[in-house]
Amino acid sequence: MNNLRLAGLLTPLALSATAHAAEPDFFKDASATLQARNYYFSRDFSGIVGANKQSKAEEWAQGFIFNFKSGYTPGTLGFGVDTLAVLGLKLDSSPDRTGTGLLPVQDYGRAADNYSRAGATFKMRYSKTELKVGELQTNLPILQYNDSRLLPPTYQGVSVTSAEIDGLIVQAGHLGSTSLRNEAGDEKMIAMLGHLPQRQADSDGFDFAGGDYSFNANRSTVSLWYGRLEDIYQQGFVGFKHSQPVGDWTLLANLGYFTAREQGEQRIGEVDNRAFYSLLSAKRSGHTFTVGYQGIYGDDAFPRVFPNISPLGNEVPTYEFSYTDERSWQVRYDYDFVAMGVPGLTATVRYLKGDNVDTGLGFEGKEHERDLDLSYAVQSGVLKGLGVRLRNAMARSNYRSDIDENRVILSYTWTLL
């Protein structure tokens, strides 16, 4: 483990021992949690397309995630420290089943027995403006946080968030490197176009700026964002969300539009992409019904930082429905069993279908996916903090590999402070 990061992890513990009386606000608002996450992931590729002929990715692993967040010291300028430490342990894997994203794959093809990392974030607050330097978990439309495997990814850099104007939150920052979800160290960022990593070139940093403005009693939000993966691509985003009560129903709309083009040295060549998505939902009691439409335009697939997800309406954990010229539809149904007196239990079923894909192979690409998700979180009692999630997905395509997927995720969170 990097010594500098280990020192960052121990910083708040040292402060706790020496400065509790001098800085009571620093500790008054502090929190600490430890989550144990047990993760089984399996993907069968029944119709392999491409150079990699591995027919299955299947692994089982145990993770531990420690989070400490301090409060701020008293005064006009408040200072604080956050720390994150993670540990991943291999429970089951083999060279012919790696590549799930749960564990690092070593040079000789086997998954590592364990991996870990730790980092600190130093923060400063003035009024309603906050500066953070160090380990960041950025969650923006142009760089969305993706905690979908055993351990969470992070970035290293600086960010500023300000909420000085009522209803308006603005952010800006620079990220110099990333720690991937299944890696122990830091590395430079690369791009993805659709589902394909562009490993031939990396970037020296990611810059972002933008904001979200909420109005209409916080029922409406407009967003405007800009992101730049240096010397690879630049991307803009405009979005609108609205919630409207109508009798016993609540109607929701989520609309977004992206534009992207090459940037600087153009290390992966020219980039030409525009993307539009719309999600319309109706909610009543425990029921939520959703339909979505998504269109990809331009000469290239949708770009993003590898291996992140995006807020595209029809992007799901198995297929992205964001390849060149793709048009896709979604129907989705969610049920929250709190309406039946079972709080913490939720279920989701959705179906997505895409076509008009420019495969570059002389034929139209088509694909579809069906997802089933069931999750339960214990709400009270001695097992409060225990969560269970089951996921089953079936994805079929005529231009990329078919996938049958299963995930079983057990988690337990201890509140330490």
Side-chain angles (χ1 to χ4, degrees), residues 54 56 110 182 242 277 333 337 379 399:
Q54 181 179 323
K56 189 174 188 178
R110 290 187 177 274
N182 63 332
H242 180 69
Y277 71 85
Y333 172 69
F337 286 82
Q379 302 295 295
Y399 73 99

Side-chain angles (χ1 to χ4, degrees), residues 35-81:
Q35 183 185 80
R37 184 181 293 178
N38 189 279
Y39 207 127
Y40 169 79
F41 185 104
S42 172
R43 275 184 178 173
D44 284 301
F45 305 101
S46 57
I48 299 173
V49 175
N52 183 3
K53 300 304 181 183
Q54 181 179 323
S55 62
K56 189 174 188 178
E58 182 182 31
E59 293 179 311
W60 180 30
Q62 175 68 51
F64 296 94
I65 305 164
F66 172 77
N67 263 296
F68 172 86
K69 297 182 182 298
S70 78
Y72 283 94
T73 58
T76 303
L77 284 177
F79 297 89
V81 179

Side-chain angles (χ1 to χ4, degrees), residues 208-225:
F208 62 90
D212 304 303
Y213 178 64
S214 298
F215 58 99
N216 190 22
N218 290 325
R219 290 191 288 108
S220 302
T221 301
V222 293
S223 302
L224 185 64
W225 288 91

